[in-house]
């Protein structure tokens, strides 16, 4: 049998797992792994400028491809810097394996230099974690880590490796396991057939049904099944922020994004429905508003692979535990076998005319101006110039909502944002990870002057590895979403939300070796963006000065039902 | 309502902290918690007493199942079961009260397991309710110096069992 050191086993296990990219940053306790990595050139390692960004890059990579993202960092601060990234991935169920160095086994617990209890500090935000105690376990632990990260409801897994377990002088037998069986971990994937039949009967009997799709639909890859179900039975589809793209945004059956900043028609459709079919959603507070007033007439049918997501906040009438793809396949099979839905294509006509009425309210309409660029307008131009087919990452705030509302996504995995944790600083590193995975596609990072400064140092990584993404900075010199809340709830007292001394971003981009463009005149917007997208091989930072008074609407009214929204600064639903 | 949840847990480093962390992280209250190895050396058994309504209990069970190291979860309070707790109660026992403490311990079928000239240590086994009653009766007649309780352990009655 082949003999390898612990450090070489880490690298070989990753190669045998099929890993192509690692995002990381070296340091004392992982130098043996880095040395082993230096000898093997068939994995590309991306050296970041901050460990948090390494995790976001791996995360973006995982979101765009569905593969497991891999991170390698050192002990202590290297490990703690990954926590925000790990929590971001955990909240959105993104598969990652994060390998962290640890001090020597005999020093653990001694407050040694660069020691931190990584297993302890990451515990609430990981799907699982492993502390290596014997180097011979490394191949099996890495195999398990990838299996756990990618299966069931995906999530991040930490593998903490003490320095002595990597010792290059001591060799052990190496064999990468082909399969792994764990008696305590065996996620259910195919749903209960009886429950699926019950669910389908309820769906067919409903007069005002709606499909409510979320991030789980993207993860399970059931977009073609949702399309078939919606078209066969004539059912409208609303999407969460995380579900955008699981159903084509420009399809006539798409009613748009629901929730806190969802469009009027989507929230009204939910509130007035008599059956909500949740597919890979978790009924979180941003999509339900006040649970006491939640969709009063609706029967709730819910597919999720994680049983704990079912009836967590909203009581579900017909739960189905399983992978959305497999459950919907079975449902479509039952529809096919019984010729359901084809006999009366007009059954839901009344429902559709209600929806048409709500769409007529045009809740996303806005006023353009000759003096100031509107943020909504920027997104619309970006959509047009990229033919609606770019990978779009975002940070967190107003720009994120504008991107979600004004860039309709027709394919899953194209919209990449931190929906659950709401992590500012996610957008740029995530975009770099996406571009590495999809080098031939256009990758756009929609950001703001607040968010971009939380990981702007990654412009340096982008130059080193020549990763030509496009950064669209909706610059309003404010923390826009904070300001919006202060305008609406705190009588316009802008406490600490104004960013004085915002830098010249175009010059910063240039200083990092990229192209910077500044646009502030609405008449120059189209031409400026065209120029940016024409430079296919360059990272272009487009700093766009937008109207700082603009708010994101609609906005659900706090404590209200889903039909209670602000539609503009002065108008309520 | 008070429930007793039994958990079979892989005997891995850090496994217990995942369970305890889950309870604090999600705001569930643990009343008592006991942990010990089982006849299978690779597994530990936890007995957790909690106060929770149906909806919270459902979430607790689901969240416990979600932990990778958790093998089995069972709510033994949903059917017939046996539960026991042990208490060691150190009380003042001087003068005429000394005899009274002994009599009270006998009534609750407790035993005096340690004696000094002025103190008794009473050992008591029973349901948590019985322990509460005895402690309160002792407190009525003498000064309770110190109490150590084990937390509850339990098994389902009859054929029902929870094994790997």
């Amino acid at each position: 049998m082949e003999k390898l050191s612990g450090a070489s086993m880490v690298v070989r296990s990753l190669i045998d797992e099929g890993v192509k990219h690692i995002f990381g940053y070296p340091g004392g306790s992982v130098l043996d792994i880095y040395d082993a990595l230096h000898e093997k050139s068939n994995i590309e390692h991306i050296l970041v400028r901050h460990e948090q960004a390494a995790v976001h890059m791996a995360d973006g990579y995982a979101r765009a491809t569905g593969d497991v993202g891999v991170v390698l960092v050192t002990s202590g601060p290297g490990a703690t810097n990954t926590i925000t990234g790990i929590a971001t991935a955990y909240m959105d169920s993104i598969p990652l394996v994060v390998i962290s160095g640890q001090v020597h086994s005999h020093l653990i617990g001694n407050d040694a230099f660069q020691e931190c209890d990584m297993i302890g500090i990451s515990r609430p935000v990981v799907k699982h974690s492993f502390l290596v105690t014997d180097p011979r376990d490394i191949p099996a632990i890495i195999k398990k880590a990838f299996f756990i990260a990618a299966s069931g409801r995906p999530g991040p897994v930490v593998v903490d490796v003490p320095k002595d377990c990597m010792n290059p002088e001591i060799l052990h037998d190496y064999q990468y396991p082909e399969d792994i069986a764990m008696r305590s971990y065996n996620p259910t994937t195919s749903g209960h057939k009886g429950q699926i039949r019950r669910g389908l009967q309820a769906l067919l009997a409903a007069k005002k049904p709606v499909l409510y799709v979320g991030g789980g639909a993207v993860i399970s890859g059931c977009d073609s099944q949702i399309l078939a179900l919606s078209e066969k039975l004539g059912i409208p589809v609303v999407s969460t922020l995380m579900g955008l793209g699981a159903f084509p945004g420009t399809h006539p059956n798409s009613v748009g994004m629901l929730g806190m900043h969802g469009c009027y028609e989507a929230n009204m459709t939910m509130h007035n429905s008599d059956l909500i079919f949740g597919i890979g959603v978790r009924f979180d507070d941003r999509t339900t508003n006040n649970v006491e007033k939640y969709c009063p007439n609706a029967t709730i049918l819910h597919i999720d692979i994680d049983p704990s997501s079912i009836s967590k906040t909203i009581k579900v009438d017909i739960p189905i535990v399983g992978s959305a793809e497999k459950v919907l396949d079975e449902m479509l099979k039952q529809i096919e076998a019984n010729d359901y839905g084809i006999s009366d294509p007009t059954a839901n006509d009344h429902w559709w005319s209600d929806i048409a009425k709500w769409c007529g309210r045009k809740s996303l309409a806005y006023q353009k101006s000759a003096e100031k660029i509107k943020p909504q307008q920027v997104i619309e131009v970006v959509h047009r110039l990229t033919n609606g087919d770019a990978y779009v990452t975002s940070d967190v705030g107003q720009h994120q909502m504008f991107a979600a509302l004004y860039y309709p996504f027709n394919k899953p995995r194209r919209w990449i944002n931190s929906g659950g944790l709401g992590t500012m600083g996610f957008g740029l590193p995530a975009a770099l990870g996406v571009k590495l995975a999809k080098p031939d596609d256009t990758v756009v990072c929609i950001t703001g002057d607040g968010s971009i400064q939380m990981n702007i140092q990654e412009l340096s990584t982008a130059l080193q590895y020549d990763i030509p993404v496009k950064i669209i900075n909706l610059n309003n010199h404010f923390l826009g979403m904070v300001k919006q809340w202060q305008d609406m709830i705190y009588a316009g007292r802008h406490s600490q939300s104004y960013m004085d001394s915002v830098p010249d971003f175009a010059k910063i981009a240039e200083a990092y070796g990229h192209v910077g463009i500044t646009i502030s005149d609405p008449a120059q917007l189209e031409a400026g963006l065209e120029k940016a997208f024409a430079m296919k091989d360059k990272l272009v930072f487009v700093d766009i000065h937008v109207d700082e008074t603009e708010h994101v609407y609609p906005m659900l009214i706090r404590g209200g039902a889903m039909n209670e929204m602000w539609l503009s600064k002065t108008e309520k639903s | 309502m008070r429930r007793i949840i039994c958990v079979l847990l892989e005997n891995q480093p850090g496994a217990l902290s995942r369970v305890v962390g889950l309870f604090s992280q999600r705001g569930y209250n643990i009343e008592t918690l006991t942990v010990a190895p089982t006849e299978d050396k690779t597994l530990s058994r936890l007995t957790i007493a909690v106060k929770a309504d149906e909806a919270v209990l459902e979430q607790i069970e689901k969240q416990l199942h979600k932990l990778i190291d958790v093998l089995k979860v069972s709510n033994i309070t949903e059917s017939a079961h046996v539960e026991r707790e042990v208490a060691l109660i150190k009380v003042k026992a001087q003068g005429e009260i000394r005899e009274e403490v002994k009599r009270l311990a006998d009534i609750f079928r407790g035993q005096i397991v340690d004696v000094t000239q002025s103190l008794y240590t009473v050992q008591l086994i029973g349901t948590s309710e019985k322990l509460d009653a005895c402690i309160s009766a002792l407190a009525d007649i003498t000064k309770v110096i110190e109490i150590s309780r084990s937390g509850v352990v339990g098994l389902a009655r009859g054929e029902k069992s929870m094994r790997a």
Side-chain angles (χ1 to χ4, degrees), chain A residues 437-493:
Chain A
K438 303 282 175 187
D440 300 328
D441 288 283
T442 303
V443 179
V444 183
C445 167
I446 309 275
T447 185
D449 49 301
S451 287
I452 190 65
Q453 295 190 76
M454 284 209 187
N455 264 322
I456 200 163
Q457 77 286 344
E458 297 309 316
L459 286 172
S460 172
T461 310
L463 186 72
Q464 181 165 347
Y465 298 95
D466 189 15
I467 315 174
V469 300
K470 303 290 174 280
I471 300 169
I472 309 295
N473 187 36
L474 300 184
N475 186 347
N476 60 4
H477 290 247
F478 271 101
L479 303 177
M481 191 57 92
V482 173
K483 172 179 171 288
Q484 175 167 345
W485 282 52
Q486 290 171 337
D487 285 339
M488 295 175 74
I489 305 166
Y490 297 91
R493 294 187 297 278

Side-chain angles (χ1 to χ4, degrees), chain A residues 389-406:
Chain A
D389 203 30
Y391 284 83
V392 178
T393 73
S394 92
D395 275 298
V396 171
Q398 284 185 318
H399 66 269
Q400 176 191 25
M401 293 300 128
F402 286 130
L405 290 168
Y406 294 86

